[in-house]
Amino acid sequence: MRFIITGRNINLTPGLQKAAEDKLGKLEKYFKPETEAHVTMSVEKDRQKIEVTIPVKGSIIRAEQVSTDMYTSIDLVQETIERQLKKYKSRLTDRAQSADAFTKEYVEEPVEEEDEINIVRTKHFALKPMDAEEACLQMEMLGHSFYVFRNAHTDQVSVVYKRKGNTYGLIEPEF
């Protein structure tokens, strides 16, 4: 597994890089050697944040953790990715194109029982044309973390969502 480690607002010391490679190196048993893991470490005030993104064919495995200590964040993100891999193993390896990114041992390992996804409610609503700013206001008034709307500028169904740090995101379809 190859690690591409970058830092934002942090001095990436050799010790910090080695700690990340050692801890995240435990994930090598799941992936083939040519798999790349993109690791970004950042500091914002007293928040030590690590983001790990592992692109595999057809999927992206991603986790981020924040704590007051970067070494703790590294430990937590490694555990999170390992949990994701165990929980979603059958879905990841069922796709033929992603299965060849994982080691043979991992693919052949018996699958643990996973919790079944249970949709308990379906909602229907009219999509009123509006701009993204109005959609954000509607989302805030409803107290939701996302809002689906018809974009008045593109006439496409779009989604606005609340991000960390009191900012918003917009998802637009791409054809």
Side-chain angles (χ1 to χ4, degrees), residues 26-168:
K26 293 179 180 179
L27 301 172
E28 287 181 336
K29 63 184 174 189
Y30 301 108
F31 298 99
K32 291 193 174 174
E34 63 272 11
T35 305
E36 285 186 351
H38 300 271
V39 180
T40 304
M41 298 181 197
S42 60
V43 177
E44 299 166 10
K45 296 183 183 173
D46 63 343
R47 296 170 23 123
Q48 308 276 321
K49 179 177 172 182
I50 183 169
E51 301 171 50
V52 179
T53 305
I54 306 169
V56 293
K57 294 177 185 166
S59 297
I60 292 178
I61 298 163
R62 185 183 181 285
E64 73 177 55
Q65 288 294 328
V66 178
S67 72
T68 55
D69 177 56
M70 186 59 77
Y71 294 96
T72 304
S73 296
I74 293 169
D75 290 345
L76 293 171
V77 82
Q78 182 263 331
E79 292 169 8
T80 302
I81 290 175
E82 211 155 15
R83 229 182 358 261
Q84 285 178 357
L85 288 170
K86 289 177 181 170
K87 185 172 182 180
Y88 298 112
K89 176 185 176 197
S90 61
R91 292 185 194 145
L92 289 168
T93 56
D94 281 350
R95 300 182 185 145
Q97 72 269 22
S98 2
D100 51 330
F102 297 101
T103 61
K104 184 179 177 187
E105 294 79 22
Y106 174 63
V107 173
E108 292 176 353
E109 186 180 287
V111 178
E112 292 180 19
E113 285 295 316
E114 62 181 71
D115 298 334
E116 189 176 310
I117 295 174
N118 187 16
I119 297 173
V120 295
R121 185 174 183 188
T122 303
K123 288 185 174 184
H124 299 274
F125 58 96
L127 291 175
K128 174 185 158 197
M130 61 180 76
D131 60 21
E133 290 77 20
E134 185 180 349
C136 289
L137 290 172
Q138 290 289 324
M139 176 181 64
E140 289 295 333
M141 287 192 295
L142 291 170
H144 291 173
S145 57
F146 70 95
Y147 188 78
V148 180
F149 68 103
R150 180 173 302 279
N151 193 319
H153 302 294
T154 63
D155 202 38
Q156 299 290 325
V157 175
S158 300
V159 176
V160 290
Y161 60 96
K162 194 165 191 123
R163 295 175 45 92
K164 293 178 184 169
N166 247 1
T167 59
Y168 301 95

